[in-house]
Amino acid sequence: QDQFSCPVSAMLSNAQWLRKVVIVSACIGGVLQYGLTLDYGEIQSMLDQYYDISTTQGDTLYTWLNLGCCTLSFLPGLMYDRLGPAATIAVGTAVTLAARGYQLSAGASVPFANLQYVYLILGLGSSVFNVVGIFAALAPWGDEHVGKVGAAVQVALSLSFSVQSSAATSIGQFGPYIQYATLFTACAGGAMFVSFIVLRDSLRIPATDSVLLAHDNGEPRARSGSLVAIWKAVAQYEFVVLSVVFFASVGFSFSFLDVFYAHITPAAGFTGGDSVGLEV
Protein backbone atom coordinates (compact mmCIF):
# COMPACT_ATOMS: atom_id res chain seq x y z
CA GLN A 1 0.00 0.00 0.00
CA ASP A 2 2.89 2.37 0.80
CA GLN A 3 4.34 1.65 -2.64
CA PHE A 4 1.29 3.11 -4.32
CA SER A 5 0.57 5.94 -1.89
CA CYS A 6 3.25 8.28 -3.25
CA PRO A 7 2.31 7.92 -6.96
CA VAL A 8 -1.38 8.34 -6.16
CA SER A 9 -0.68 11.40 -4.04
CA ALA A 10 1.46 12.82 -6.82
CA MET A 11 -1.29 12.24 -9.38
CA LEU A 12 -3.88 13.90 -7.14
CA SER A 13 -1.53 16.81 -6.53
CA ASN A 14 -0.92 17.24 -10.27
CA ALA A 15 -4.66 17.11 -10.96
CA GLN A 16 -5.36 19.76 -8.35
CA TRP A 17 -2.58 21.93 -9.74
CA LEU A 18 -4.00 21.57 -13.25
CA ARG A 19 -7.48 22.57 -12.06
CA LYS A 20 -6.04 25.71 -10.52
CA VAL A 21 -4.11 26.55 -13.69
CA VAL A 22 -7.29 26.17 -15.76
CA ILE A 23 -9.08 28.64 -13.48
CA VAL A 24 -6.21 31.14 -13.68
CA SER A 25 -6.08 30.81 -17.47
CA ALA A 26 -9.80 31.56 -17.73
CA CYS A 27 -9.36 34.54 -15.40
CA ILE A 28 -6.54 35.89 -17.57
CA GLY A 29 -9.01 35.88 -20.46
CA GLY A 30 -11.31 37.92 -18.24
CA VAL A 31 -8.76 40.62 -17.46
CA LEU A 32 -7.81 40.76 -21.15
CA GLN A 33 -11.46 41.52 -21.87
CA TYR A 34 -11.07 44.62 -19.70
CA GLY A 35 -8.73 45.92 -22.38
CA LEU A 36 -11.82 46.53 -24.54
CA THR A 37 -12.38 49.61 -22.39
CA LEU A 38 -8.73 50.67 -22.27
CA ASP A 39 -8.41 50.81 -26.06
CA TYR A 40 -11.00 53.57 -26.45
CA GLY A 41 -8.36 56.07 -27.53
CA GLU A 42 -7.42 53.71 -30.34
CA ILE A 43 -10.96 53.18 -31.60
CA GLN A 44 -12.49 56.63 -31.01
CA SER A 45 -11.80 57.94 -34.50
CA MET A 46 -13.40 54.83 -36.00
CA LEU A 47 -16.33 55.14 -33.59
CA ASP A 48 -16.89 58.83 -34.36
CA GLN A 49 -16.88 58.15 -38.09
CA TYR A 50 -19.10 55.06 -37.81
CA TYR A 51 -21.82 56.80 -35.81
CA ASP A 52 -21.24 60.17 -37.49
CA ILE A 53 -20.73 61.99 -34.20
CA SER A 54 -18.41 64.81 -33.21
CA THR A 55 -15.19 64.42 -31.25
CA THR A 56 -16.90 66.06 -28.27
CA GLN A 57 -19.67 63.48 -28.39
CA GLY A 58 -17.03 60.75 -28.61
CA ASP A 59 -15.40 62.17 -25.48
CA THR A 60 -18.81 62.10 -23.79
CA LEU A 61 -19.15 58.39 -24.56
CA TYR A 62 -15.73 57.88 -23.00
CA THR A 63 -17.00 59.60 -19.86
CA TRP A 64 -19.94 57.20 -19.71
CA LEU A 65 -17.59 54.28 -20.26
CA ASN A 66 -15.45 55.41 -17.33
CA LEU A 67 -18.55 55.88 -15.22
CA GLY A 68 -19.30 52.20 -15.67
CA CYS A 69 -15.83 50.71 -15.36
CA CYS A 70 -14.44 53.04 -12.67
CA THR A 71 -17.13 54.79 -10.64
CA LEU A 72 -19.43 51.76 -10.46
CA SER A 73 -16.65 49.20 -10.09
CA PHE A 74 -17.67 48.53 -6.47
CA LEU A 75 -20.83 46.78 -7.70
CA PRO A 76 -18.98 43.73 -9.13
CA GLY A 77 -17.18 43.35 -5.81
CA LEU A 78 -20.45 43.33 -3.89
CA MET A 79 -21.91 40.86 -6.38
CA TYR A 80 -18.85 38.62 -6.01
CA ASP A 81 -19.26 38.51 -2.24
CA ARG A 82 -23.00 37.88 -2.42
CA LEU A 83 -23.38 35.66 -5.50
CA GLY A 84 -19.98 34.06 -6.00
CA PRO A 85 -17.79 34.12 -9.11
CA ALA A 86 -19.93 31.98 -11.44
CA ALA A 87 -23.17 33.93 -11.02
CA THR A 88 -21.34 37.27 -11.11
CA ILE A 89 -19.54 36.54 -14.37
CA ALA A 90 -22.75 35.15 -15.85
CA VAL A 91 -24.53 38.45 -15.13
CA GLY A 92 -21.58 40.51 -16.38
CA THR A 93 -21.31 38.51 -19.59
CA ALA A 94 -25.06 38.69 -20.22
CA VAL A 95 -25.36 42.47 -19.83
CA THR A 96 -22.21 43.09 -21.90
CA LEU A 97 -23.41 40.83 -24.72
CA ALA A 98 -26.82 42.51 -24.58
CA ALA A 99 -25.18 45.90 -25.14
CA ARG A 100 -22.98 44.54 -27.93
CA GLY A 101 -25.97 42.79 -29.47
CA TYR A 102 -27.84 46.09 -29.57
CA GLN A 103 -24.87 47.69 -31.30
CA LEU A 104 -24.75 44.90 -33.87
CA SER A 105 -28.48 44.89 -34.56
CA ALA A 106 -28.92 48.66 -34.74
CA GLY A 107 -25.82 49.29 -36.81
CA ALA A 108 -24.79 52.91 -37.31
CA SER A 109 -28.30 54.21 -36.61
CA VAL A 110 -28.07 54.04 -32.79
CA PRO A 111 -29.31 57.32 -31.27
CA PHE A 112 -26.61 59.14 -29.35
CA ALA A 113 -28.68 59.09 -26.14
CA ASN A 114 -28.85 55.30 -26.36
CA LEU A 115 -25.13 55.09 -27.07
CA GLN A 116 -24.40 56.72 -23.73
CA TYR A 117 -26.25 53.96 -21.88
CA VAL A 118 -24.61 51.33 -24.08
CA TYR A 119 -21.15 52.50 -23.08
CA LEU A 120 -22.15 52.77 -19.44
CA ILE A 121 -23.16 49.09 -19.57
CA LEU A 122 -20.03 48.12 -21.50
CA GLY A 123 -17.87 49.80 -18.87
CA LEU A 124 -19.67 48.13 -16.00
CA GLY A 125 -19.57 44.76 -17.76
CA SER A 126 -15.83 44.98 -18.32
CA SER A 127 -15.40 45.91 -14.66
CA VAL A 128 -17.14 42.64 -13.77
CA PHE A 129 -14.63 40.72 -15.91
CA ASN A 130 -11.74 42.55 -14.27
CA VAL A 131 -12.90 42.14 -10.67
CA VAL A 132 -13.92 38.49 -11.00
CA GLY A 133 -10.79 37.68 -12.98
CA ILE A 134 -8.54 39.04 -10.25
CA PHE A 135 -10.42 37.64 -7.24
CA ALA A 136 -11.24 34.19 -8.62
CA ALA A 137 -7.69 33.63 -9.87
CA LEU A 138 -6.38 33.96 -6.31
CA ALA A 139 -9.12 31.93 -4.61
CA PRO A 140 -7.75 28.39 -5.22
CA TRP A 141 -4.19 29.11 -4.11
CA GLY A 142 -2.61 29.08 -0.70
CA ASP A 143 -0.91 32.07 0.86
CA GLU A 144 2.49 30.97 -0.42
CA HIS A 145 1.37 31.31 -4.07
CA VAL A 146 -0.93 34.34 -3.94
CA GLY A 147 1.86 36.79 -4.80
CA LYS A 148 3.03 34.86 -7.87
CA VAL A 149 -0.48 34.25 -9.21
CA GLY A 150 -1.51 37.85 -8.52
CA ALA A 151 1.56 39.11 -10.38
CA ALA A 152 0.72 36.94 -13.40
CA VAL A 153 -2.83 38.28 -13.52
CA GLN A 154 -1.62 41.87 -13.16
CA VAL A 155 0.83 41.38 -16.04
CA ALA A 156 -2.06 40.15 -18.18
CA LEU A 157 -4.11 43.17 -17.13
CA SER A 158 -1.24 45.49 -18.09
CA LEU A 159 -0.95 43.77 -21.47
CA SER A 160 -4.69 43.96 -22.13
CA PHE A 161 -4.37 47.48 -23.53
CA SER A 162 -1.69 46.41 -26.00
CA VAL A 163 -3.58 43.25 -26.98
CA GLN A 164 -6.90 44.97 -27.64
CA SER A 165 -5.35 48.07 -29.23
CA SER A 166 -3.38 45.88 -31.62
CA ALA A 167 -6.53 43.96 -32.47
CA ALA A 168 -8.44 47.19 -33.12
CA THR A 169 -5.65 48.53 -35.33
CA SER A 170 -5.51 45.28 -37.29
CA ILE A 171 -9.28 45.24 -37.82
CA GLY A 172 -9.39 48.88 -38.88
CA GLN A 173 -13.17 49.28 -39.14
CA PHE A 174 -15.63 49.78 -36.32
CA GLY A 175 -18.33 47.38 -37.54
CA PRO A 176 -16.02 44.34 -37.61
CA TYR A 177 -14.47 45.56 -34.35
CA ILE A 178 -17.86 45.29 -32.63
CA GLN A 179 -18.13 41.71 -33.92
CA TYR A 180 -14.66 40.93 -32.57
CA ALA A 181 -15.43 42.50 -29.18
CA THR A 182 -18.67 40.52 -28.95
CA LEU A 183 -16.93 37.24 -29.79
CA PHE A 184 -14.07 37.91 -27.37
CA THR A 185 -16.51 38.74 -24.57
CA ALA A 186 -18.56 35.59 -25.22
CA CYS A 187 -15.47 33.36 -25.25
CA ALA A 188 -13.91 34.93 -22.15
CA GLY A 189 -17.16 34.92 -20.18
CA GLY A 190 -18.05 31.41 -21.28
CA ALA A 191 -14.64 30.03 -20.34
CA MET A 192 -14.79 31.65 -16.91
CA PHE A 193 -18.34 30.48 -16.20
CA VAL A 194 -17.67 26.89 -17.28
CA SER A 195 -14.43 26.66 -15.32
CA PHE A 196 -16.07 28.11 -12.20
CA ILE A 197 -18.93 25.61 -12.42
CA VAL A 198 -16.94 22.50 -13.35
CA LEU A 199 -14.08 23.29 -10.97
CA ARG A 200 -16.18 24.90 -8.24
CA ASP A 201 -14.60 22.73 -5.54
CA SER A 202 -11.29 24.49 -6.15
CA LEU A 203 -12.92 27.88 -5.64
CA ARG A 204 -14.44 27.15 -2.25
CA ILE A 205 -12.94 29.28 0.52
CA PRO A 206 -13.68 28.35 4.14
CA ALA A 207 -15.75 31.01 5.87
CA THR A 208 -13.17 31.27 8.64
CA ASP A 209 -10.62 32.43 6.05
CA SER A 210 -12.64 35.47 5.06
CA VAL A 211 -12.05 38.62 7.09
CA LEU A 212 -15.22 40.11 5.61
CA LEU A 213 -17.50 37.63 7.36
CA ALA A 214 -18.91 38.62 10.71
CA HIS A 215 -18.76 36.22 13.64
CA ASP A 216 -21.18 35.37 16.42
CA ASN A 217 -19.66 33.89 19.59
CA GLY A 218 -16.58 32.78 17.73
CA GLU A 219 -18.54 31.01 14.98
CA PRO A 220 -18.62 32.33 11.40
CA ARG A 221 -21.98 33.81 10.49
CA ALA A 222 -23.77 32.79 7.32
CA ARG A 223 -22.67 34.56 4.12
CA SER A 224 -25.87 36.60 4.13
CA GLY A 225 -24.33 38.70 6.88
CA SER A 226 -21.26 39.61 4.86
CA LEU A 227 -22.67 42.90 3.61
CA VAL A 228 -22.95 44.18 7.17
CA ALA A 229 -19.28 43.43 7.70
CA ILE A 230 -18.39 45.15 4.41
CA TRP A 231 -20.08 48.37 5.44
CA LYS A 232 -18.31 48.19 8.80
CA ALA A 233 -15.01 47.92 6.94
CA VAL A 234 -15.92 50.85 4.69
CA ALA A 235 -16.68 53.01 7.73
CA GLN A 236 -13.21 52.50 9.19
CA TYR A 237 -10.83 55.46 9.33
CA GLU A 238 -8.13 53.69 7.30
CA PHE A 239 -10.54 52.96 4.46
CA VAL A 240 -11.65 56.60 4.24
CA VAL A 241 -8.08 57.91 4.21
CA LEU A 242 -6.90 55.41 1.60
CA SER A 243 -9.95 56.16 -0.56
CA VAL A 244 -9.13 59.88 -0.53
CA VAL A 245 -5.52 59.17 -1.49
CA PHE A 246 -6.62 56.79 -4.24
CA PHE A 247 -9.17 59.11 -5.83
CA ALA A 248 -6.84 62.10 -5.57
CA SER A 249 -4.06 60.26 -7.40
CA VAL A 250 -6.44 58.91 -10.05
CA GLY A 251 -7.99 62.34 -10.55
CA PHE A 252 -4.56 63.92 -10.91
CA SER A 253 -3.51 61.28 -13.45
CA PHE A 254 -6.60 61.76 -15.61
CA SER A 255 -6.30 65.56 -15.37
CA PHE A 256 -2.69 65.37 -16.50
CA LEU A 257 -3.56 63.11 -19.43
CA ASP A 258 -6.40 65.41 -20.49
CA VAL A 259 -4.08 68.42 -20.50
CA PHE A 260 -1.35 66.45 -22.22
CA TYR A 261 -3.72 65.26 -24.94
CA ALA A 262 -5.42 68.63 -25.47
CA HIS A 263 -2.45 71.02 -25.33
CA ILE A 264 1.02 69.52 -25.10
CA THR A 265 0.61 66.79 -27.72
CA PRO A 266 -0.68 69.04 -30.56
CA ALA A 267 2.00 71.60 -29.74
CA ALA A 268 4.63 68.90 -30.16
CA GLY A 269 3.23 67.97 -33.56
CA PHE A 270 1.91 64.51 -32.69
CA THR A 271 -1.33 63.07 -34.00
CA GLY A 272 -4.10 61.65 -31.79
CA GLY A 273 -2.90 58.08 -32.31
CA ASP A 274 0.65 59.08 -31.36
CA SER A 275 -0.56 60.79 -28.20
CA VAL A 276 -2.28 57.64 -26.99
CA GLY A 277 1.00 55.78 -27.21
CA LEU A 278 2.78 58.52 -25.30
CA GLU A 279 0.17 58.60 -22.58
CA VAL A 280 0.72 54.95 -21.87
Side-chain angles (χ1 to χ4, degrees):
Q1 182 177 0
D2 293 339
Q3 295 177 353
F4 293 99
S5 61
C6 290
V8 170
S9 299
M11 291 177 61
L12 291 176
S13 177
N14 290 336
Q16 293 173 356
W17 183 85
L18 180 60
R19 291 160 67 94
K20 296 176 181 179
V21 170
V22 169
I23 291 174
V24 172
S25 300
C27 290
I28 287 177
V31 297
L32 288 177
Q33 196 279 345
Y34 188 71
L36 293 173
T37 63
L38 302 177
D39 68 346
Y40 190 88
E42 194 69 34
I43 68 169
Q44 183 173 353
S45 60
M46 294 190 297
L47 182 150
D48 294 347
Q49 183 178 4
Y50 182 79
Y51 289 115
D52 192 22
I53 60 177
S54 66
T55 301
T56 301
Q57 289 176 310
D59 293 340
T60 300
L61 292 182
Y62 182 58
T63 300
W64 282 88
L65 183 71
N66 279 325
L67 179 63
C69 68
C70 296
T71 308
L72 300 180
S73 60
F74 66 93
L75 292 177
L78 295 178
M79 291 174 60
Y80 185 94
D81 287 336
R82 293 287 291 179
L83 305 177
T88 302
I89 198 60
V91 173
T93 302
V95 297
T96 305
L97 290 180
R100 289 297 186 188
Y102 175 69
Q103 280 187 297
L104 289 172
S105 62
S109 60
V110 180
F112 181 72
N114 293 356
L115 273 179
Q116 297 178 69
Y117 294 112
V118 166
Y119 276 87
L120 172 67
I121 294 173
L122 291 178
L124 180 59
S126 286
S127 181
V128 172
F129 277 88
N130 184 36
V131 169
V132 175
I134 293 174
F135 288 170
L138 300 178
W141 302 89
D143 293 341
E144 67 275 13
H145 299 298
V146 167
K148 296 185 286 290
V149 176
V153 175
Q154 289 300 318
V155 168
L157 178 60
S158 300
L159 292 175
S160 65
F161 170 81
S162 298
V163 170
Q164 303 300 355
S165 294
S166 298
T169 302
S170 300
I171 294 171
Q173 296 181 353
F174 193 71
Y177 171 81
I178 298 176
Q179 299 175 2
Y180 161 77
T182 303
L183 180 61
F184 193 98
T185 298
C187 291
M192 294 175 76
F193 179 77
V194 171
S195 66
F196 295 162
I197 293 296
V198 175
L199 307 177
R200 57 185 177 274
D201 290 342
S202 298
L203 284 170
R204 290 179 179 172
I205 305 175
T208 52
D209 289 345
S210 177
V211 297
L212 295 180
L213 291 181
H215 291 73
D216 289 329
N217 299 324
E219 295 297 327
R221 188 186 300 173
R223 183 166 287 273
S224 60
S226 60
L227 276 181
V228 177
I230 290 175
W231 293 122
K232 287 183 178 179
V234 169
Q236 292 181 359
Y237 173 77
E238 291 83 357
F239 182 89
V240 175
V241 172
L242 291 176
S243 296
V244 171
V245 173
F246 172 79
F247 283 112
S249 59
V250 170
F252 175 80
S253 299
F254 276 94
S255 298
F256 170 77
L257 293 178
D258 287 341
V259 172
F260 184 88
Y261 183 81
H263 301 289
I264 302 178
T265 301
F270 293 106
T271 64
D274 295 329
S275 69
V276 172
L278 286 174
E279 287 172 12
V280 176

